[in-house]
Each structure stands twice: as C-alpha cells, then as structure tokens.
Amino acid sequence: LLFGPFGSGTFRLQMAWYSFQMGLESLIGIGLGLAPYYFATAFPKAGQIFGSAIPHNIFFQLFAEAGVLGLLTFCIFLYVSLRPFFLSGFKRPGSWWAIASVGFFLCAMLYPLFINAMEVLSFAFLYLGMAYALRDKP
C-alpha cells in the first residue's frame, strides 16, 4: 500500500518531514550532500522507515542542506530565469529549451535519480542556459 506503514508514500512524506526539520535547525542548512548522514544519525529513535538516503524532492533537499537562504536563492534564480518564457506563453525564441529545463526540474522534484546524478540534473541548467541565450533581447 502506498501510504501503509512501509509504503512508498509514507517513505517520501517522512523524508520530507525530516528534511523540513533539518532545514529549520540552521539558516544556512546542514551542508551540501550531508542529508543522508543526518538521516542516519540525527533521528535515531524517530521510527523512520528509511536509512541514509537523500530527500526525494529537490526543494526539500535544498532546504535541508542549504537552509532558507539557499532555497530562497534557488527559487529566485528559477523565477528570474523562467519568468520571460512563462509571460510570453512559451512563444519566445528558445522556449523549447526552457520547457525541457522545466521538465528536468519537475523530474528532480519527484524522483531522486535526477537529483543524485549530477550529469542528468545539469541538463536542466544547460537547457535553461540555452533558452536564455536564444531568447530575444528586450
């Protein structure tokens, strides 16, 4: 069962909750790449059903590892980068690259493969850069 005691949904909700708790502990987070270590050591009696894994959402991972400042910086970066394409209804030059970038960011929110494998997530940034380079300048 998805939300049973050992289900995949329960697993993801627990990881999100503990990531949120780690992010609240420090303004600058616990450190990049340290979420699996803290999952394994910081909550020994919490009864979580996961071990040392990464959060299965890029925003929760950033909140835990880079804190409020890191998550806010990342969200502002995404907003500023994608705003021109959303406002134009993706009709500007380079819009297909922006759509591909959004697709990779959505995948990074749902499945940890796209967070962990930096060569895959880097495509999101590459496509975003291509969209930005090809857009018509105001």
Side-chain angles (χ1 to χ4, degrees):
L1 298 169
L2 182 64
F3 290 105
F6 298 105
S8 177
T10 304
F11 171 77
R12 282 167 169 67
L13 287 175
Q14 279 188 350
M15 292 186 86
W17 174 248
Y18 289 118
S19 298
F20 183 72
Q21 286 182 330
M22 285 189 282
L24 291 177
E25 289 179 6
S26 172
L27 188 63
I28 57 171
I30 59 172
L32 295 178
L34 291 178
Y37 171 75
Y38 277 86
F39 280 148
T41 60
F43 307 103
K45 297 185 183 198
Q48 71 251 22
I49 61 172
F50 57 85
S52 57
I54 59 168
H56 283 45
N57 184 303
I58 193 167
F59 293 107
F60 280 116
Q61 182 175 2
L62 275 172
F63 185 62
E65 294 181 355
V68 174
L69 295 177
L71 180 62
L72 186 63
T73 302
F74 182 70
C75 289
I76 290 170
F77 166 75
L78 284 181
Y79 173 76
V80 169
S81 300
L82 292 171
R83 183 175 184 263
F85 298 102
F86 279 109
L87 289 179
S88 72
F90 289 98
K91 294 182 179 162
R92 298 178 80 157
S95 289
W96 288 107
W97 293 105
I99 291 170
S101 177
V102 168
F104 272 99
F105 281 117
L106 289 175
C107 289
M109 287 177 39
L110 301 174
Y111 193 68
L113 173 69
F114 292 97
I115 299 171
N116 232 4
M118 291 313 293
E119 65 276 359
V120 177
L121 184 59
S122 64
F123 280 116
F125 292 107
L126 175 68
Y127 293 161
L128 189 59
M130 289 294 295
Y132 196 77
L134 295 174
R135 79 185 192 329
D136 52 342
K137 306 326 184 249

